[in-house]
Amino acid sequence: MGLPTGVYRADHVGSWLRPKAVLEAREQHASGAITAEQLREIEDKHIDEVVRKQIEAGMRSITDGEFRRAYFHLDFLKQLDGVEVTGQLKSSGAIKNGWAPPVLKVAGKLGHSRPVQVADYEFLERSIAQNAPAGAMTKVAIPSPTMVHFRGGRASIDIASYPELDTFFDDLARVYQQELDDLYKAGCRFVQLDDTNLAYLCDPKMREQAEQRNEDLTTLPKRYAELINAAISKRPKDMKIGIHLCRGNYQSQWFASGGYEPVAEVLFKDLNVDAYFLEYDDARSGDFAPLRHLPPHKVVVLGLMSSKKAEVDDRDEIVKRLREAAEVCPGGLDQLCLSHQCGFSSTAEGNALSEEQQWEKVRLEVSIAKEIWGEDLSQ
């Protein structure tokens, strides 16, 4: 089978280790030493560089590395009308004494008064046109709409604005529809939704915490599938959507464990996405049995390699596990691609490895993909 436009046999989740100059510039901007325009110029320069490095490493799905964000989700979500982030959200993402995780809440009616990601997308498109060969494609990664609900639940949503949660979910889907429409009109054809919550619902401890927030775990996965489906329901046919499931990726740490079985049928049969980017780098993700539910027209980008570790992955072990997964997938290897389990820098701090180690790991991934599928990674 052919791959959806924007998905490649050697793929990645989206974030790259931030250069020191970008982190320093964000600190300077936070302190008032440089303007927002000066910060953006520095980010632009280093985004150009990371585009070239992705191409040199063999990647064809190109992102801006999330260099303009401190957090993979909050920097996007706080730009939606009605969403507030409180706590120590720093421009640089630097951890300091007394730091506590920022808290997201819905303080008013949700709205989309301006595009969030379009300007960043347009710059990346220009950078790819200048630096990349034909065949490379822009990927925009944004947080899944479920990220607005799961962490806080009902208590984090203003009851005066939303006495009924059905209205909240309707409005949340609508603002995502508007953002995707703006991105499409700007030329974007592939969007990845980053979703920790469906994976967290595989973890017994996280399920228990959700029950303590009075969530109904028999219906919540389906509710989230309905939300995501509504959010992407108005996209044109030539805009493809992927979803990335992750159990946490913060400075090489993880937060959840558990195989995909509790959400597998909802994930593969109910979600109207084109591709799944699934964490599978160690035993915490369970076995490949849930892949038996994969419909014939969809693909899974298997996150068998680890962005958390500096050590280069074992090539033979990755090939072995790819072939094991292919035995479970209805379409075999044709339905699979390869990636690391998550980005290298889901927050600005990044994981515990160097930039050179990062690119060495990516070059190995590309080499493995070519061994398995051949030189053309788009087929």
Tab-separated table of all heavy atoms in Angstrom, residues 210-260:
chain	number	residue	atom	x	y	z
A	210	ALA	N	-7.850	9.365	37.154
A	210	ALA	CA	-8.963	9.881	36.360
A	210	ALA	C	-10.300	9.536	37.015
A	210	ALA	O	-11.229	10.358	37.033
A	210	ALA	CB	-8.900	9.326	34.943
A	211	GLU	N	-10.405	8.338	37.557
A	211	GLU	CA	-11.639	7.958	38.260
A	211	GLU	C	-11.869	8.838	39.477
A	211	GLU	O	-13.015	9.173	39.803
A	211	GLU	CB	-11.559	6.484	38.661
A	211	GLU	CG	-11.736	5.521	37.494
A	211	GLU	CD	-11.662	4.075	37.919
A	211	GLU	OE1	-10.927	3.781	38.890
A	211	GLU	OE2	-12.330	3.239	37.282
A	212	GLN	N	-10.771	9.228	40.145
A	212	GLN	CA	-10.897	10.116	41.305
A	212	GLN	C	-11.396	11.501	40.899
A	212	GLN	O	-11.930	12.241	41.731
A	212	GLN	CB	-9.556	10.207	42.029
A	212	GLN	CG	-9.155	8.922	42.729
A	212	GLN	CD	-7.741	8.942	43.273
A	212	GLN	OE1	-6.995	9.922	43.077
A	212	GLN	NE2	-7.336	7.877	43.955
A	213	ARG	N	-11.200	11.858	39.599
A	213	ARG	CA	-11.753	13.117	39.076
A	213	ARG	C	-13.168	12.900	38.529
A	213	ARG	O	-13.691	13.742	37.793
A	213	ARG	CB	-10.852	13.674	37.969
A	213	ARG	CG	-9.447	14.043	38.415
A	213	ARG	CD	-8.743	14.883	37.360
A	213	ARG	NE	-8.551	14.179	36.101
A	213	ARG	CZ	-7.476	13.451	35.786
A	213	ARG	NH1	-6.507	13.306	36.677
A	213	ARG	NH2	-7.386	12.870	34.607
A	214	ASN	N	-13.737	11.734	38.854
A	214	ASN	CA	-15.104	11.380	38.446
A	214	ASN	C	-15.251	11.172	36.950
A	214	ASN	O	-16.339	11.371	36.387
A	214	ASN	CB	-16.102	12.444	38.931
A	214	ASN	CG	-16.158	12.534	40.440
A	214	ASN	OD1	-16.210	11.526	41.130
A	214	ASN	ND2	-16.126	13.758	40.956
A	215	GLU	N	-14.174	10.746	36.286
A	215	GLU	CA	-14.255	10.398	34.870
A	215	GLU	C	-14.786	8.972	34.728
A	215	GLU	O	-14.429	8.081	35.509
A	215	GLU	CB	-12.887	10.503	34.196
A	215	GLU	CG	-12.265	11.889	34.236
A	215	GLU	CD	-13.001	12.909	33.402
A	215	GLU	OE1	-13.920	12.534	32.648
A	215	GLU	OE2	-12.666	14.105	33.509
A	216	ASP	N	-15.614	8.746	33.726
A	216	ASP	CA	-16.130	7.417	33.416
A	216	ASP	C	-15.197	6.775	32.393
A	216	ASP	O	-15.212	7.132	31.211
A	216	ASP	CB	-17.550	7.526	32.863
A	216	ASP	CG	-18.165	6.161	32.541
A	216	ASP	OD1	-17.449	5.142	32.642
A	216	ASP	OD2	-19.348	6.124	32.177
A	217	LEU	N	-14.374	5.838	32.835
A	217	LEU	CA	-13.354	5.268	31.951
A	217	LEU	C	-13.931	4.301	30.926
A	217	LEU	O	-13.232	3.902	29.998
A	217	LEU	CB	-12.282	4.566	32.790
A	217	LEU	CG	-11.499	5.485	33.737
A	217	LEU	CD1	-10.360	4.730	34.392
A	217	LEU	CD2	-10.964	6.698	32.998
A	218	THR	N	-15.198	3.942	31.085
A	218	THR	CA	-15.820	3.116	30.050
A	218	THR	C	-16.216	3.945	28.839
A	218	THR	O	-16.349	3.407	27.734
A	218	THR	CB	-17.066	2.389	30.600
A	218	THR	OG1	-18.043	3.369	31.003
A	218	THR	CG2	-16.697	1.510	31.786
A	219	THR	N	-16.393	5.249	29.041
A	219	THR	CA	-16.835	6.113	27.932
A	219	THR	C	-15.801	7.161	27.526
A	219	THR	O	-15.888	7.701	26.424
A	219	THR	CB	-18.143	6.838	28.308
A	219	THR	OG1	-17.913	7.655	29.467
A	219	THR	CG2	-19.246	5.831	28.619
A	220	LEU	N	-14.824	7.461	28.408
A	220	LEU	CA	-13.891	8.557	28.116
A	220	LEU	C	-13.084	8.351	26.836
A	220	LEU	O	-12.956	9.297	26.040
A	220	LEU	CB	-12.958	8.781	29.311
A	220	LEU	CG	-12.059	10.021	29.226
A	220	LEU	CD1	-12.888	11.299	29.088
A	220	LEU	CD2	-11.146	10.113	30.458
A	221	PRO	N	-12.517	7.157	26.567
A	221	PRO	CA	-11.798	6.998	25.295
A	221	PRO	C	-12.665	7.287	24.078
A	221	PRO	O	-12.216	7.947	23.131
A	221	PRO	CB	-11.331	5.532	25.333
A	221	PRO	CG	-11.248	5.201	26.789
A	221	PRO	CD	-12.391	5.952	27.414
A	222	LYS	N	-13.903	6.821	24.114
A	222	LYS	CA	-14.803	7.099	22.988
A	222	LYS	C	-15.140	8.585	22.904
A	222	LYS	O	-15.273	9.143	21.810
A	222	LYS	CB	-16.088	6.269	23.106
A	222	LYS	CG	-15.906	4.807	22.700
A	222	LYS	CD	-17.239	4.093	22.676
A	222	LYS	CE	-17.081	2.676	22.117
A	222	LYS	NZ	-16.767	2.699	20.667
A	223	ARG	N	-15.283	9.216	24.055
A	223	ARG	CA	-15.557	10.665	24.065
A	223	ARG	C	-14.393	11.415	23.423
A	223	ARG	O	-14.601	12.368	22.658
A	223	ARG	CB	-15.763	11.122	25.514
A	223	ARG	CG	-16.199	12.589	25.654
A	223	ARG	CD	-17.645	12.731	25.258
A	223	ARG	NE	-18.163	14.069	25.384
A	223	ARG	CZ	-18.805	14.525	26.474
A	223	ARG	NH1	-18.962	13.747	27.526
A	223	ARG	NH2	-19.296	15.741	26.492
A	224	TYR	N	-13.175	10.987	23.732
A	224	TYR	CA	-12.006	11.630	23.140
A	224	TYR	C	-11.933	11.365	21.641
A	224	TYR	O	-11.556	12.252	20.863
A	224	TYR	CB	-10.731	11.155	23.837
A	224	TYR	CG	-10.468	11.838	25.165
A	224	TYR	CD1	-9.488	11.351	26.033
A	224	TYR	CD2	-11.189	12.961	25.570
A	224	TYR	CE1	-9.233	11.978	27.251
A	224	TYR	CE2	-10.945	13.594	26.777
A	224	TYR	CZ	-9.962	13.090	27.622
A	224	TYR	OH	-9.711	13.711	28.809
A	225	ALA	N	-12.279	10.147	21.224
A	225	ALA	CA	-12.291	9.857	19.789
A	225	ALA	C	-13.311	10.740	19.076
A	225	ALA	O	-13.049	11.267	17.983
A	225	ALA	CB	-12.596	8.382	19.553
A	226	GLU	N	-14.472	10.916	19.682
A	226	GLU	CA	-15.496	11.785	19.096
A	226	GLU	C	-15.007	13.223	19.007
A	226	GLU	O	-15.259	13.922	18.011
A	226	GLU	CB	-16.774	11.705	19.932
A	226	GLU	CG	-17.475	10.363	19.845
A	226	GLU	CD	-18.585	10.206	20.876
A	226	GLU	OE1	-18.745	11.139	21.714
A	226	GLU	OE2	-19.276	9.167	20.862
A	227	LEU	N	-14.302	13.682	20.054
A	227	LEU	CA	-13.761	15.041	20.053
A	227	LEU	C	-12.747	15.224	18.936
A	227	LEU	O	-12.808	16.210	18.174
A	227	LEU	CB	-13.104	15.337	21.406
A	227	LEU	CG	-12.261	16.616	21.500
A	227	LEU	CD1	-13.117	17.855	21.264
A	227	LEU	CD2	-11.548	16.682	22.856
A	228	ILE	N	-11.799	14.307	18.825
A	228	ILE	CA	-10.767	14.411	17.786
A	228	ILE	C	-11.404	14.326	16.404
A	228	ILE	O	-11.064	15.106	15.497
A	228	ILE	CB	-9.702	13.318	17.985
A	228	ILE	CG1	-8.926	13.575	19.281
A	228	ILE	CG2	-8.749	13.269	16.787
A	228	ILE	CD1	-8.063	12.409	19.719
A	229	ASN	N	-12.347	13.404	16.229
A	229	ASN	CA	-13.013	13.276	14.932
A	229	ASN	C	-13.753	14.552	14.559
A	229	ASN	O	-13.722	14.994	13.403
A	229	ASN	CB	-13.987	12.094	14.945
A	229	ASN	CG	-13.283	10.754	14.893
A	229	ASN	OD1	-12.097	10.677	14.551
A	229	ASN	ND2	-13.994	9.695	15.226
A	230	ALA	N	-14.417	15.165	15.532
A	230	ALA	CA	-15.114	16.420	15.249
A	230	ALA	C	-14.112	17.520	14.903
A	230	ALA	O	-14.351	18.329	13.999
A	230	ALA	CB	-15.959	16.830	16.456
A	231	ALA	N	-12.989	17.545	15.607
A	231	ALA	CA	-11.986	18.586	15.375
A	231	ALA	C	-11.411	18.520	13.963
A	231	ALA	O	-11.071	19.552	13.377
A	231	ALA	CB	-10.859	18.455	16.401
A	232	ILE	N	-11.302	17.322	13.402
A	232	ILE	CA	-10.694	17.167	12.067
A	232	ILE	C	-11.725	16.908	10.980
A	232	ILE	O	-11.366	16.695	9.820
A	232	ILE	CB	-9.648	16.028	12.071
A	232	ILE	CG1	-10.300	14.666	12.320
A	232	ILE	CG2	-8.572	16.304	13.124
A	232	ILE	CD1	-9.319	13.491	12.282
A	233	SER	N	-13.003	16.978	11.325
A	233	SER	CA	-14.066	16.534	10.417
A	233	SER	C	-14.217	17.391	9.175
A	233	SER	O	-14.705	16.914	8.142
A	233	SER	CB	-15.405	16.482	11.160
A	233	SER	OG	-15.780	17.778	11.616
A	234	LYS	N	-13.811	18.656	9.234
A	234	LYS	CA	-14.025	19.550	8.088
A	234	LYS	C	-12.780	19.731	7.232
A	234	LYS	O	-12.778	20.551	6.308
A	234	LYS	CB	-14.534	20.906	8.590
A	234	LYS	CG	-15.906	20.807	9.248
A	234	LYS	CD	-16.490	22.163	9.585
A	234	LYS	CE	-17.884	22.033	10.183
A	234	LYS	NZ	-18.485	23.355	10.505
A	235	ARG	N	-11.736	18.965	7.505
A	235	ARG	CA	-10.529	19.093	6.687
A	235	ARG	C	-10.789	18.551	5.294
A	235	ARG	O	-11.522	17.571	5.115
A	235	ARG	CB	-9.372	18.331	7.327
A	235	ARG	CG	-9.440	16.810	7.158
A	235	ARG	CD	-8.397	16.128	8.020
A	235	ARG	NE	-8.234	14.713	7.725
A	235	ARG	CZ	-8.991	13.745	8.187
A	235	ARG	NH1	-10.044	14.043	8.937
A	235	ARG	NH2	-8.734	12.486	7.890
A	236	PRO	N	-10.200	19.180	4.269
A	236	PRO	CA	-10.316	18.636	2.915
A	236	PRO	C	-9.621	17.277	2.821
A	236	PRO	O	-8.750	16.934	3.632
A	236	PRO	CB	-9.601	19.685	2.057
A	236	PRO	CG	-9.667	20.940	2.869
A	236	PRO	CD	-9.548	20.490	4.289
A	237	LYS	N	-9.988	16.502	1.808
A	237	LYS	CA	-9.457	15.145	1.669
A	237	LYS	C	-7.947	15.110	1.497
A	237	LYS	O	-7.304	14.119	1.849
A	237	LYS	CB	-10.132	14.433	0.499
A	237	LYS	CG	-11.591	14.087	0.755
A	237	LYS	CD	-12.187	13.313	-0.407
A	237	LYS	CE	-13.636	12.933	-0.121
A	237	LYS	NZ	-14.253	12.180	-1.253
A	238	ASP	N	-7.376	16.181	0.932
A	238	ASP	CA	-5.923	16.152	0.710
A	238	ASP	C	-5.129	16.706	1.895
A	238	ASP	O	-3.914	16.874	1.793
A	238	ASP	CB	-5.545	16.883	-0.573
A	238	ASP	CG	-5.973	18.331	-0.593
A	238	ASP	OD1	-6.892	18.697	0.164
A	238	ASP	OD2	-5.392	19.113	-1.370
A	239	MET	N	-5.777	16.975	3.018
A	239	MET	CA	-5.051	17.256	4.263
A	239	MET	C	-5.066	15.975	5.093
A	239	MET	O	-6.117	15.476	5.470
A	239	MET	CB	-5.680	18.402	5.057
A	239	MET	CG	-5.027	18.588	6.433
A	239	MET	SD	-5.727	19.938	7.436
A	239	MET	CE	-4.542	21.253	7.079
A	240	LYS	N	-3.894	15.439	5.375
A	240	LYS	CA	-3.778	14.207	6.138
A	240	LYS	C	-3.474	14.520	7.601
A	240	LYS	O	-2.795	15.499	7.918
A	240	LYS	CB	-2.683	13.310	5.551
A	240	LYS	CG	-2.905	12.965	4.080
A	240	LYS	CD	-4.237	12.281	3.851
A	240	LYS	CE	-4.455	11.937	2.389
A	240	LYS	NZ	-5.797	11.324	2.153
A	241	ILE	N	-3.971	13.645	8.474
A	241	ILE	CA	-3.825	13.835	9.917
A	241	ILE	C	-3.168	12.598	10.522
A	241	ILE	O	-3.600	11.466	10.287
A	241	ILE	CB	-5.186	14.062	10.604
A	241	ILE	CG1	-5.924	15.271	9.992
A	241	ILE	CG2	-4.997	14.227	12.111
A	241	ILE	CD1	-5.296	16.603	10.302
A	242	GLY	N	-2.139	12.834	11.325
A	242	GLY	CA	-1.547	11.774	12.129
A	242	GLY	C	-1.770	12.077	13.597
A	242	GLY	O	-2.012	13.228	13.979
A	243	ILE	N	-1.700	11.055	14.431
A	243	ILE	CA	-1.795	11.257	15.875
A	243	ILE	C	-0.647	10.528	16.548
A	243	ILE	O	-0.335	9.385	16.210
A	243	ILE	CB	-3.159	10.790	16.433
A	243	ILE	CG1	-3.298	11.211	17.902
A	243	ILE	CG2	-3.375	9.289	16.265
A	243	ILE	CD1	-4.723	11.111	18.441
A	244	HIS	N	0.002	11.230	17.467
A	244	HIS	CA	1.130	10.657	18.207
A	244	HIS	C	0.713	10.398	19.641
A	244	HIS	O	0.236	11.310	20.334
A	244	HIS	CB	2.314	11.626	18.176
A	244	HIS	CG	3.400	11.256	19.140
A	244	HIS	ND1	3.878	12.139	20.090
A	244	HIS	CD2	4.084	10.101	19.318
A	244	HIS	CE1	4.819	11.539	20.806
A	244	HIS	NE2	4.952	10.308	20.362
A	245	LEU	N	0.880	9.151	20.092
A	245	LEU	CA	0.593	8.783	21.472
A	245	LEU	C	1.894	8.603	22.241
A	245	LEU	O	2.812	7.940	21.766
A	245	LEU	CB	-0.217	7.487	21.534
A	245	LEU	CG	-1.740	7.655	21.566
A	245	LEU	CD1	-2.236	8.336	20.303
A	245	LEU	CD2	-2.425	6.316	21.745
A	246	CYS	N	1.952	9.202	23.414
A	246	CYS	CA	3.184	9.243	24.198
A	246	CYS	C	2.866	9.076	25.675
A	246	CYS	O	1.812	9.531	26.138
A	246	CYS	CB	3.886	10.586	23.954
A	246	CYS	SG	5.334	10.884	24.973
A	247	ARG	N	3.769	8.429	26.403
A	247	ARG	CA	3.598	8.226	27.843
A	247	ARG	C	4.471	9.181	28.649
A	247	ARG	O	4.840	8.886	29.780
A	247	ARG	CB	3.915	6.776	28.194
A	247	ARG	CG	2.898	5.787	27.623
A	247	ARG	CD	3.442	4.368	27.627
A	247	ARG	NE	2.454	3.425	27.120
A	247	ARG	CZ	2.170	3.263	25.823
A	247	ARG	NH1	2.815	3.988	24.910
A	247	ARG	NH2	1.267	2.392	25.430
A	248	GLY	N	4.788	10.317	28.077
A	248	GLY	CA	5.612	11.304	28.761
A	248	GLY	C	7.035	11.311	28.247
A	248	GLY	O	7.631	10.264	28.011
A	249	ASN	N	7.574	12.508	28.064
A	249	ASN	CA	8.924	12.647	27.518
A	249	ASN	C	9.488	13.977	28.006
A	249	ASN	O	9.408	14.987	27.322
A	249	ASN	CB	8.870	12.615	25.985
A	249	ASN	CG	10.246	12.644	25.360
A	249	ASN	OD1	11.121	11.862	25.715
A	249	ASN	ND2	10.458	13.544	24.407
A	250	TYR	N	10.074	13.940	29.209
A	250	TYR	CA	10.581	15.169	29.804
A	250	TYR	C	11.969	14.918	30.368
A	250	TYR	O	12.135	14.160	31.325
A	250	TYR	CB	9.632	15.656	30.908
A	250	TYR	CG	10.185	16.798	31.708
A	250	TYR	CD1	10.323	18.061	31.128
A	250	TYR	CD2	10.601	16.621	33.018
A	250	TYR	CE1	10.859	19.118	31.851
A	250	TYR	CE2	11.131	17.667	33.747
A	250	TYR	CZ	11.260	18.911	33.163
A	250	TYR	OH	11.792	19.953	33.874
A	251	GLN	N	12.977	15.532	29.763
A	251	GLN	CA	14.356	15.359	30.189
A	251	GLN	C	14.694	13.876	30.383
A	251	GLN	O	15.257	13.459	31.389
A	251	GLN	CB	14.621	16.145	31.474
A	251	GLN	CG	14.622	17.659	31.248
A	251	GLN	CD	15.076	18.425	32.470
A	251	GLN	OE1	14.518	18.291	33.554
A	251	GLN	NE2	16.097	19.249	32.300
A	252	SER	N	14.333	13.082	29.371
A	252	SER	CA	14.571	11.631	29.331
A	252	SER	C	13.761	10.846	30.362
A	252	SER	O	14.020	9.671	30.591
A	252	SER	CB	16.062	11.302	29.477
A	252	SER	OG	16.781	11.728	28.333
A	253	GLN	N	12.763	11.486	30.976
A	253	GLN	CA	11.893	10.788	31.916
A	253	GLN	C	10.579	10.420	31.247
A	253	GLN	O	10.185	11.021	30.251
A	253	GLN	CB	11.602	11.674	33.132
A	253	GLN	CG	12.837	12.097	33.912
A	253	GLN	CD	12.501	13.076	35.015
A	253	GLN	OE1	11.632	12.813	35.836
A	253	GLN	NE2	13.176	14.217	35.031
A	254	TRP	N	9.897	9.425	31.808
A	254	TRP	CA	8.566	9.045	31.340
A	254	TRP	C	7.606	9.099	32.523
A	254	TRP	O	8.027	9.168	33.678
A	254	TRP	CB	8.580	7.655	30.723
A	254	TRP	CG	9.205	6.588	31.590
A	254	TRP	CD1	10.514	6.199	31.595
A	254	TRP	CD2	8.552	5.790	32.589
A	254	TRP	NE1	10.716	5.209	32.536
A	254	TRP	CE2	9.527	4.929	33.161
A	254	TRP	CE3	7.236	5.711	33.065
A	254	TRP	CZ2	9.233	4.014	34.165
A	254	TRP	CZ3	6.932	4.793	34.069
A	254	TRP	CH2	7.937	3.954	34.603
A	255	PHE	N	6.288	9.065	32.239
A	255	PHE	CA	5.302	9.246	33.305
A	255	PHE	C	4.259	8.141	33.381
A	255	PHE	O	3.541	8.061	34.367
A	255	PHE	CB	4.589	10.591	33.138
A	255	PHE	CG	5.530	11.757	33.176
A	255	PHE	CD1	5.861	12.437	32.024
A	255	PHE	CD2	6.117	12.146	34.365
A	255	PHE	CE1	6.750	13.503	32.047
A	255	PHE	CE2	7.010	13.205	34.410
A	255	PHE	CZ	7.329	13.891	33.248
A	256	ALA	N	4.150	7.313	32.356
A	256	ALA	CA	3.085	6.303	32.343
A	256	ALA	C	3.582	5.011	31.719
A	256	ALA	O	4.555	5.001	30.959
A	256	ALA	CB	1.869	6.824	31.575
A	257	SER	N	2.892	3.926	32.051
A	257	SER	CA	3.194	2.609	31.506
A	257	SER	C	1.886	1.924	31.138
A	257	SER	O	0.816	2.304	31.606
A	257	SER	CB	3.937	1.751	32.536
A	257	SER	OG	5.173	2.320	32.895
A	258	GLY	N	2.014	0.874	30.329
A	258	GLY	CA	0.827	0.091	29.989
A	258	GLY	C	0.662	-0.066	28.490
A	258	GLY	O	0.842	0.885	27.731
A	259	GLY	N	0.325	-1.265	28.067
A	259	GLY	CA	0.102	-1.539	26.651
A	259	GLY	C	-1.143	-0.851	26.129
A	259	GLY	O	-1.981	-0.354	26.901
A	260	TYR	N	-1.312	-0.861	24.803
A	260	TYR	CA	-2.400	-0.108	24.157
A	260	TYR	C	-3.749	-0.822	24.207
A	260	TYR	O	-4.756	-0.253	23.763
A	260	TYR	CB	-2.041	0.151	22.688
A	260	TYR	CG	-0.878	1.097	22.498
A	260	TYR	CD1	0.409	0.604	22.267
A	260	TYR	CD2	-1.054	2.470	22.555
A	260	TYR	CE1	1.482	1.464	22.091
A	260	TYR	CE2	0.007	3.336	22.392
A	260	TYR	CZ	1.283	2.829	22.159
A	260	TYR	OH	2.342	3.690	21.995
